[in-house]
Structures are given as structure tokens and as C-alpha cells.
Amino acid sequence: MTYPTRQAPRAADVRALGRSLSECRACPRLVDWREETARVKRPAFRDWDYWARPVPGFGPADARMLLVGLAPAAHGGNRTGRMFTGDRAGDVLVAALHDLGLASQPTSTHSGDGLQLYGVRFTSPVHCAPPANKPTPAERDTCRPWLVRELELLRPTLRTVVALGAFGWQAVLPVLGEGGWSLPRPRPAFAHGARLELPPTRRGGAPLAVHGCYHVTQRNTFTGRLTPAMLRDVLRTAALEAGLPARTAP
């Protein structure tokens, strides 16, 4: 049995963190759902051997920009074993990063497809696919030590965070408060295009900018609530602020 409060602080780097995280079985409801989804499968993926485990963050260990989502998709990350991979949300997000020169290719289909992110990393507050894509507050809190440790490991280089959706915004802010940055009071509400600058609380630390962006769900992208141009604008602003050479999208 992997206990996040015990195992997460022991990870020496993000690779070790991912290995430890992928063995976690701390939330019975999420374990049952991710494994049931892998047994039942969708007809389109009947030949797939699903990952069906917690999905680690993805991207370089010295990332300057962190994208925080909600949780892996049941037939996306839970199937492929990589965050924002194998579903519509990943298609939209990776295409936007590629347009900006921050990803090596415009698609994210499976873990061996050659995708590389440049200065950018993906993670989420909950690392298992939840039923109806809705983790409980208790599941979020149980998973929290993994995010706390990931941010600690990224702190030397991290300069911006993009919270995708209100859940990511609400989940990551208290973790940043623990991780070496000062939060305003009261905490600002999520909004697309919102920006916070968090001063460091530790000597030698650097300020961190937090940007809000609507999540890349099918509901948001199909209805036009989040357009590709809107997504690229937030990502480009955050990337330039992080010191990444984001180009102007076509």
C-alpha cells in the first residue's frame, strides 16, 4: 500500500515521484473506477491494454511553466498512461502548445508517440480518473501530497502556473502557499484570463505568476466558450512571462 503522505516526500526527483505515485491505491473509489473502466473499455479501444493506474505528471524536470488540470480522463490518460494524451482535451492543448513552439508535434496519442514539451509540464491535483470526471474533496486532499512534492521539486525553475479550470485553480493555490509562495487574502476567485503574482516566502526564491484559463473540456471547446485563440493567448502570455520563447501563433 502506498501512502501519499509518507511516500511523496521521499521522492528525490520527478521521475522517482512518478514511479511512486503510479503505485498508489489510497482512494478505493478511484481504484475501482479506473480498473473497471480498463476492463469494460470503449469499443474503439477494445484492443488497448489500459494503463489503469495513477497518471504521473509529464514534461521536463526543469520546467518553467506548469499546466494544472483536473484529473486524467477515463479513456485518455487512464488508457495511455500519460497526462492529456489520447482524448480531445489533449488534442486541443497540445495543438496550441505546438502552435507556440512549446511542443514537438501537434498531437498526443500514446506514450510512445515521441511528444516532447519544451519548458512546459503537465500535472493535476488528482492523478486517477474519477467517475463522471468529478473527484471528491476527500480524494483531492488525499492526492495532495503528490502535487506538493512535485511543486517542491520544480520550484528552482518554475516561474508560471496555468490553472485549467476552477478545480485546478482552487486546488493548486493552497499547495503553492505551502510550497514557498505567499497567497493574497482573500484568495481571488477563478476567472479566464485571471493573473496572480505570488511573492516568494523563502530566501532566494523567485516570484510565481498564476494564470487562469478555462479547461480544455469538449464542452468548452465545442461550444466556443474556449476557442483555440483564447487558449493560445493565455499560454503564450504565461510562457513569455516564464522566459520561454513562445512564438506568435499562426
Side-chain angles (χ1 to χ4, degrees), residues 42-194:
R42 280 182 175 170
F45 306 129
R46 63 182 179 273
D47 296 329
W48 275 80
D49 183 11
Y50 275 50
W51 171 258
R53 295 157 67 184
V55 181
F58 173 68
D62 60 350
R64 299 184 66 85
M65 182 167 79
L66 182 67
L67 275 60
V68 180
L70 191 160
H75 300 282
N78 187 55
R79 171 173 59 91
T80 63
R82 195 172 71 191
M83 199 75 65
F84 287 112
T85 299
D87 60 14
R88 178 60 181 168
D91 291 343
V92 172
L93 183 58
V94 172
L97 290 170
H98 181 260
D99 286 344
L100 299 172
L102 300 174
S104 61
Q105 59 194 45
T107 58
S108 178
T109 57
H110 61 281
S111 61
D113 62 5
L115 174 66
Q116 296 181 60
L117 301 179
Y118 304 134
V120 179
R121 185 173 175 86
F122 298 153
T123 195
S124 60
V126 176
H127 287 274
C128 291
N133 206 32
K134 293 181 179 180
T136 67
E139 289 162 349
R140 176 202 62 202
D141 294 345
T142 298
C143 206
R144 181 172 170 167
W146 301 118
L147 183 58
V148 170
R149 184 58 181 153
E150 189 168 9
L151 282 161
E152 288 175 347
L153 293 168
L154 294 173
R155 187 170 57 224
T157 57
L158 190 63
R159 297 296 178 265
T160 61
V161 170
V162 177
L164 296 169
F167 188 95
W169 178 273
Q170 294 162 2
V172 77
L173 285 182
V175 175
L176 294 173
E178 293 180 21
W181 292 277
S182 178
L183 297 179
R185 295 183 181 180
R187 292 178 189 167
F190 169 79
H192 181 82

